[in-house]
Amino acid sequence: NAGVMQNPRHLVRRRGQEARLRCSPMKGHSHVYWYRQLPEEGLKFMVYLQKENIIDESGMPKERFSAEFPKEGPSILRIQQVVRGDSAAYFCASSPSPGLKLFFGSGTQLSVL
Amino acid sequence: AQTVTQSQPEMSVQEAETVTLSCTYDTSESDYYLFWYKQPPSRQMILVIRQEAYKQQNATENRFSVNFQKAAKSFSLKISDSQLGDAAMYFCAVTNRDDKIIFGKGTRLHILP
């Protein structure tokens, strides 16, 4: 059973471009969470999704950021018109049920030039 | 809203000694879960220990144990017989059954040989 798969591992974008981060949860997990981590800081919650539904997006900026978890395929975190402040590590985690163990991916390091 | 506070940005411990990492939290829920996660330099998030709030008995996992004080909303992590491989960032986290997991800012643990 493969773990949570995130790709790409590293993503470099120029200011104004779009970044698409992918996350395939563990098999059987229908709960997906996205977190952002700045250097030397903790993980900041962004969005919590279940299949085809956004449950809580209170941590996600209202503009330029969006997330989806379609019925088929990976969860996608999309950042439009990236700025330097978007540079961070973005982690995805999945769980079979809230309150149980979160399984984390290895993260995507986004660098905006 | 749930919050997690880790008041020790960094700590050091001699190899083979015992160290305790502090964590306090705030939640209005009566049914919730607490976690300690470890993040080594590889950046991978690893679950160390999990505690269910309704259980009075403190969770233990080998050399790792917690001191859960529900009334004080305190959830400290004790690492016994510290090993070089324990060097990492440690994050305390809280969630209720239907919500996102909130992380503290972390404590960087150094192991001195």
Side-chain angles (χ1 to χ4, degrees):
Chain A
N1 190 4
V4 177
M5 304 300 292
Q6 283 189 254
N7 65 80
R9 184 98 160 111
H10 300 276
L11 182 61
V12 179
R13 285 287 178 266
R14 296 191 181 279
R15 280 180 295 173
Q17 291 185 318
E18 178 180 288
R20 291 172 72 89
L21 288 62
R22 294 175 191 78
C23 169
S24 295
M26 287 187 71
K27 188 176 180 181
H29 288 193
S30 58
H31 301 262
V32 167
Y33 305 78
W34 284 94
Y35 289 85
R36 176 164 62 179
Q37 186 178 33
L38 294 171
E40 301 302 314
E41 290 194 14
L43 280 77
K44 291 277 176 61
F45 167 78
M46 298 183 73
V47 61
Y48 163 32
L49 310 104
Q50 293 182 25
K51 280 287 187 182
E52 300 184 273
N53 289 308
I54 295 176
I55 305 302
D56 184 342
E57 57 182 347
S58 59
M60 201 154 67
K62 296 274 188 289
E63 297 178 355
R64 302 189 298 109
F65 286 72
S66 63
E68 63 177 9
F69 186 19
K71 188 176 180 181
E72 301 290 338
S75 175
I76 304 288
L77 179 67
R78 183 181 177 205
I79 311 172
Q80 294 178 291
Q81 299 174 321
V82 295
V83 301
R84 287 211 173 123
D86 297 332
S87 296
Y90 291 83
F91 285 90
C92 169
S94 73
S95 173
S97 177
L100 295 182
K101 177 181 177 179
L102 275 186
F103 292 81
F104 278 85
S106 298
T108 293
Q109 181 65 51
L110 173 64
S111 298
V112 180
L113 304 179
Chain B
Q2 298 172 100
T3 60
V4 178
T5 303
Q6 293 181 249
S7 58
Q8 305 150 316
E10 287 196 61
M11 291 193 71
S12 296
V13 63
Q14 209 74 38
E15 194 177 0
E17 297 294 310
T18 295
V19 64
T20 299
L21 309 183
S22 302
C23 172
T24 57
Y25 61 93
D26 194 18
T27 179
S28 57
E29 302 293 328
S30 58
D31 183 17
Y32 55 91
Y33 306 86
L34 297 156
F35 308 84
W36 277 97
Y37 276 85
K38 169 185 177 181
Q39 187 180 43
S42 66
R43 213 173 63 182
Q44 184 69 44
M45 291 288 286
I46 303 164
L47 178 67
V48 174
I49 203 162
R50 174 176 176 266
Q51 174 84 41
E52 294 154 320
Y54 67 86
K55 287 188 176 178
Q56 292 186 339
Q57 187 173 7
N58 289 325
T60 62
E61 285 289 342
N62 302 314
R63 297 182 296 107
F64 299 87
S65 62
V66 297
N67 183 5
F68 174 44
Q69 302 288 330
K70 191 171 183 178
K73 293 185 177 176
S74 171
F75 184 61
S76 60
L77 175 70
K78 185 171 86 171
I79 307 174
S80 304
D81 186 24
S82 298
Q83 301 175 0
L84 293 176
D86 295 334
M89 282 288 286
Y90 285 81
F91 294 101
C92 179
V94 64
T95 185
N96 62 31
R97 179 161 284 282
D98 300 313
D99 206 349
K100 55 191 175 282
I101 293 183
I102 299 298
F103 288 83
K105 291 191 174 183
T107 297
R108 182 173 298 283
L109 179 64
H110 303 277
I111 310 295
L112 307 174

